[in-house]
Every structure is written in C-alpha cells, then in structure tokens.
Amino acid sequence: MGETDVTTDATGPWLIVGLGNPGPEYAMNRHNVGFMVADLLAGRIGGKFKRADKAQAQVIEGRIGPPGPANRRVILAKPMSYMNLSGGPVTALRDFYKVPTGNIVAVHDELDIDYGVLRLKLGGGDNGHNGLKSMTKAMGADYHRVRFGIGRPPGRMQVADFVLKDFASAERKELDYFVDRAADAVEALVIEGLERAQGTYNS
C-alpha cells in the first residue's frame, strides 16, 4: 500500500468519506449515518453524487469554507462496496486525488457513544467497526474520524442486528438536527483544524 503520509496539509485536498451500505433497504439504518451526513454536505456544496470511474464509490468535488485562505478543496465520497470493504474504494480515491492520509475524514456510527453525541479524533482503533477496520487495513489508522454516537443495543439484541436497523421513531425526531450538527463538525475540522473543532463539538 505504500508508506502512510500522516501529515495534515491545510492547503491540500481533503477526502471526506461517509461510511454506509449502498441500497434503499439500508438507507435509514443506524450504520448508514455516515451516508446521511455525506448527503447533507453534498447539498451544502451544491452538487450531486456521481459514480467515480477511479473507484467503487460515488463522489462530488467541490469547496467548503469562506473565500480566502480558509477555503478548502474537498472530495466527498460514499463507498459503494458495502461497509466491510470500504478500504478499497477509499484507498483508490486517496491515490487518484493525491490526498495525504491525514487529510482523510471518515464519518461513521459509534456504538460506545450516546445517541447524537459527537467525538472527533485522529487515528486510534476501529472498536469493531467494519468500515474502519477495512480502511485501517488498507492504509493505516492515521486518518480523522467524526464519530456519531448511536448508543448500545438494548437488552440482548446483537450488535449486527442493532446497527442494521433503522433509527427508532423517538430517535428520528432529533436525527435531522444531529446529522446537521455532524456536518457542521466535518466542516469545522477541515476549515479550522482538529483541536478547534474538538473544542466546539466534542460535547
């Protein structure tokens, strides 16, 4: 896979990856919250996802941030490989767009955080998340994560069943707000840097 470039390059392109599973049957699953955030960011950029010739993914190229030095070029992506194979498409996009690994942001669901709570970090383990596991195997762990809390399954429900179920009706009442806040956190991370974004969003 080559050596991992862990340098964050403020002037270089950023690759923002929403993790999920393709197909309408998965669209509202807890495991697909990364896709939900990516779709919202796409609306903000003002583009539509298109199939990437260079990877098994849908992508949008655009810019975020105010005019001037804080403006950032971004590639917004949704892997179409299914969650547990996300590393292949992400690595292909990284190589094609020449994005340093430190400029990659994975947006994903997180079991060990309460519903709607965000945590931003650089590097670390995968905590059993198959999308992160695949990405880390493909290119190392030194990419950013925007972790969207979904909480733990109730009772004896298996984790696999829990993440592949739609958000509960009570959760859906606040879902749009939390997805919007997660999109804000992604933008803050890319424009302002990890430390400032953590100060605002690591509630």
Side-chain angles (χ1 to χ4, degrees):
M1 295 298 172
E3 292 187 2
T4 300
D5 180 356
V6 299
T7 304
T8 299
D9 178 2
T11 61
W14 285 77
L15 175 59
I16 301 168
V17 182
L19 294 180
N21 288 306
E25 67 271 32
Y26 299 105
M28 290 304 296
N29 287 181
R30 294 181 177 91
H31 222 18
N32 267 45
V33 73
F35 273 18
M36 297 175 197
V37 176
D39 286 338
L40 181 57
L41 286 167
R44 294 182 180 184
I45 290 172
K48 291 186 177 180
F49 280 103
K50 297 179 180 178
R51 192 81 180 195
D53 296 330
K54 69 286 297 182
Q56 192 178 358
Q58 292 184 349
V59 299
I60 295 173
E61 296 180 61
R63 305 191 75 88
I64 62 173
N71 193 258
R72 302 282 183 259
R73 179 185 171 217
V74 297
I75 300 96
L76 187 59
K78 296 192 296 185
M80 293 287 110
S81 57
Y82 289 98
M83 182 71 83
N84 62 350
L85 298 172
S86 299
V90 176
T91 302
L93 292 169
R94 178 200 67 176
D95 293 346
F96 180 83
Y97 288 106
K98 298 179 172 57
V99 179
T101 302
N103 280 31
I104 296 173
V105 183
V107 186
H108 63 93
D109 57 300
E110 178 62 59
L111 287 161
D112 284 339
I113 304 174
D114 289 341
Y115 174 60
V117 174
L118 299 176
R119 292 286 186 272
L120 283 63
K121 62 184 285 192
L122 172 63
D126 57 59
N127 201 25
H129 192 287
N130 287 331
L132 298 182
K133 191 177 297 183
S134 179
M135 286 180 61
T136 296
K137 183 178 179 181
M139 61 185 188
D142 293 305
Y143 52 91
H144 289 85
R145 298 102 188 274
V146 173
R147 306 156 72 203
F148 186 109
I150 60 170
R152 279 276 166 186
R156 297 185 179 182
M157 182 184 291
Q158 295 296 309
V159 165
D161 294 331
F162 179 69
V163 299
L164 292 176
K165 285 187 179 297
D166 290 357
F167 284 99
S169 57
E171 293 172 327
R172 287 198 294 271
K173 292 177 181 177
E174 295 184 293
L175 182 60
D176 287 348
Y177 168 77
F178 288 140
V179 168
D180 189 72
R181 191 166 185 269
D184 290 345
V186 172
E187 292 185 341
L189 170 59
V190 171
I191 296 167
E192 301 173 10
L194 178 61
E195 187 173 349
R196 288 189 66 182
Q198 285 176 323
T200 303
Y201 293 98
N202 278 20
S203 54

